[in-house]
């Protein structure tokens, strides 16, 4: 069910069910909470299979490797098969 064309980071995060909406994914990118292969991701950055994506949630850090690009309609269960979790840890955001 993969597409040959790369996807935007914000679209990808939503299709993989890692964010609740594309606009939430876009906001996360704009705030610097998303990185692509170790570099800060912009919402429109193109993503292909094999890329590493890190998402910093308020109390969690998740890093995944994209195995396959999702199609337009992917269930939550099927979406989990499209990436491999490399790191998933709870973090505490403490002010400096």
């Amino acid at each position: 069910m993969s597409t040959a064309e790369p996807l935007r980071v914000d679209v990808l995060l939503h299709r993989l069910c890692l964010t609740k909406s594309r606009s939430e994914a876009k906001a996360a990118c704009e705030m610097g909470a998303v990185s692509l292969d170790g570099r800060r991701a912009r919402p429109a950055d193109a993503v292909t299979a094999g890329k590493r994506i890190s998402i910093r949630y308020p109390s969690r850090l998740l890093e995944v490797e994209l195995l396959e690009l999702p199609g337009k309609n992917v269930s939550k269960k099927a979406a989990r098969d499209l990436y491999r979790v490399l790191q998933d840890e709870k973090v505490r955001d403490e002010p400096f």
Side-chain angles (χ1 to χ4, degrees), residues 20-41:
K20 293 178 183 173
S21 64
R22 190 185 71 79
S23 58
E24 182 181 272
K26 182 179 179 193
C29 289
E30 290 170 347
M31 291 179 354
V34 179
S35 63
L36 188 59
D37 285 337
R39 299 179 67 188
R40 186 174 169 166

Side-chain angles (χ1 to χ4, degrees), residues 3 10 12 24 37 44 60 63 68 72 80 82 92:
T3 56
D10 55 353
L12 177 77
E24 182 181 272
D37 285 337
R60 178 178 168 212
E63 183 178 2
E68 188 178 337
K72 287 194 179 197
R80 288 188 199 116
L82 300 176
R92 291 189 326 183

Side-chain angles (χ1 to χ4, degrees), residues 24-84:
E24 182 181 272
K26 182 179 179 193
C29 289
E30 290 170 347
M31 291 179 354
V34 179
S35 63
L36 188 59
D37 285 337
R39 299 179 67 188
R40 186 174 169 166
R42 294 175 309 206
D45 285 347
V47 184
T48 55
K51 297 286 186 180
R52 289 179 174 220
I53 304 158
S54 298
I55 308 140
R56 186 170 187 80
Y57 296 97
S59 61
R60 178 178 168 212
L61 176 64
L62 177 67
E63 183 178 2
V64 300
E65 179 183 4
L66 183 61
L67 302 174
E68 188 178 337
L69 291 174
K72 287 194 179 197
N73 296 317
V74 179
S75 71
K76 247 184 190 181
K77 187 176 187 295
R80 288 188 199 116
D81 295 333
L82 300 176
Y83 61 87
R84 180 169 56 102

